[in-house]
Amino acid sequence: GASLTTAWGCDCAGCVCSGYNPPSHTYLHRFALADGFTGTEQVCFERGHGQGEYVILVTDDQYPPNIQWTLEGYVVDGGAHDLRYLDFTTLESKEGCETPGGGAAYLMGGLRAKFYDTTFKRTSAANGNGGAVVVASDFDKMNVTERSAADFTRCTFEDFQADFYGQAVFSSVAQLRLFDSHLAADEGMSLAAGTVFDFGVTSDCQSGCGRGQYGTCEKIDECFSC
């Protein structure tokens, strides 16, 4: 690649760039600590979709003897000036980087919320459910009053995507209600099954207007978009 000195203006000595400061979109995770401190962070190295190979670069050069780092199960002797290549593409583990989801709103633990005249646009959930919204309750909450609930009134959902369930909305053992709300498909397309995904419940979707007074309502999964 490009010379770090030329591209980034680093103050380099012995191939060590203490001033290397790349833009955030070029790396997966950046770990930094104040002097004299230790810490642990969890990072998910995704596999699949053309991913699986990573490079760990240690740029701190202020106190080289004090810099030590490990990556559980892979690196036990990390130190200053390290440049480590990791290849996870051949791992047999089925674990992934699943996230809770909810590209714009994640409601859990009995939380209740109401949204009015709101547009959810260009939302997504990578490795998760609910491209725009997740409403979920603990499985042991049998009493309806203890479950999470969300009302969406005159709301619009546009350009949404989730890697797993509920391209727009994912509801799990929760109270999801959509009133006079619209889920927009891409131009010339229709919404696919699973746009509104209900698990253990059936969402309540309705129009407050009489027949023919609010345009055409379209059935989407167990819901209606008006």
Side-chain angles (χ1 to χ4, degrees):
S3 165
L4 295 181
T5 305
T6 302
W8 304 103
C10 299
D11 178 17
C12 294
C15 296
V16 178
C17 283
S18 60
Y20 183 49
N21 186 29
S24 60
H25 70 273
T26 63
Y27 56 82
L28 171 68
H29 182 76
R30 187 172 187 173
F31 184 58
L33 288 171
D35 295 341
F37 287 87
T38 63
T40 301
E41 291 188 15
Q42 182 174 340
V43 181
C44 186
F45 294 93
E46 183 64 270
R47 291 174 294 133
H49 304 292
Q51 301 181 49
E53 299 177 67
Y54 297 88
V55 172
I56 296 179
L57 174 65
V58 180
T59 60
D60 194 325
D61 191 42
Q62 189 170 5
Y63 304 105
N66 297 334
I67 299 174
Q68 300 177 353
W69 64 275
T70 62
L71 179 63
E72 185 176 1
Y74 296 94
V75 180
V76 297
D77 59 349
H81 311 165
D82 264 341
L83 181 64
R84 301 289 183 109
Y85 167 74
L86 303 173
D87 185 356
F88 299 123
T89 56
T90 60
L91 288 182
E92 295 182 359
S93 171
K94 302 298 184 183
E95 295 181 1
C97 295
E98 291 78 8
T99 57
Y106 181 76
L107 309 176
M108 180 68 182
L111 188 65
R112 294 169 176 265
K114 294 183 178 182
F115 299 84
Y116 297 91
D117 304 300
T118 302
T119 297
F120 299 88
K121 189 172 184 178
R122 287 194 288 273
T123 59
S124 62
N127 302 302
N129 302 312
V133 176
V134 166
V135 188
S137 304
D138 297 331
F139 290 115
D140 60 351
K141 299 302 182 184
M142 301 305 295
N143 191 327
V144 175
T145 61
E146 297 179 338
R147 295 178 181 175
S148 301
D151 292 358
F152 297 86
T153 303
R154 299 181 303 276
C155 292
T156 301
F157 299 83
E158 302 178 23
D159 192 6
F160 41 76
Q161 188 272 331
D163 283 350
F164 298 145
Y165 298 103
Q167 292 300 300
V169 181
F170 178 86
S171 174
S172 174
V173 196
Q175 302 174 71
L176 173 65
R177 294 183 287 260
L178 284 81
F179 303 107
D180 296 341
S181 293
H182 179 61
L183 292 92
D186 293 337
E187 186 175 356
M189 305 290 289
S190 59
L191 293 173
T195 298
V196 177
F197 187 89
D198 293 329
F199 178 79
V201 293
T202 299
S203 297
D204 180 12
C205 306
Q206 55 186 276
S207 170
C209 300
R211 184 182 297 274
Q213 295 180 335
Y214 196 75
T216 302
C217 288
E218 177 186 3
K219 191 176 189 303
I220 300 174
D221 300 307
E222 298 304 317
C223 203
F224 286 91
S225 170
C226 297

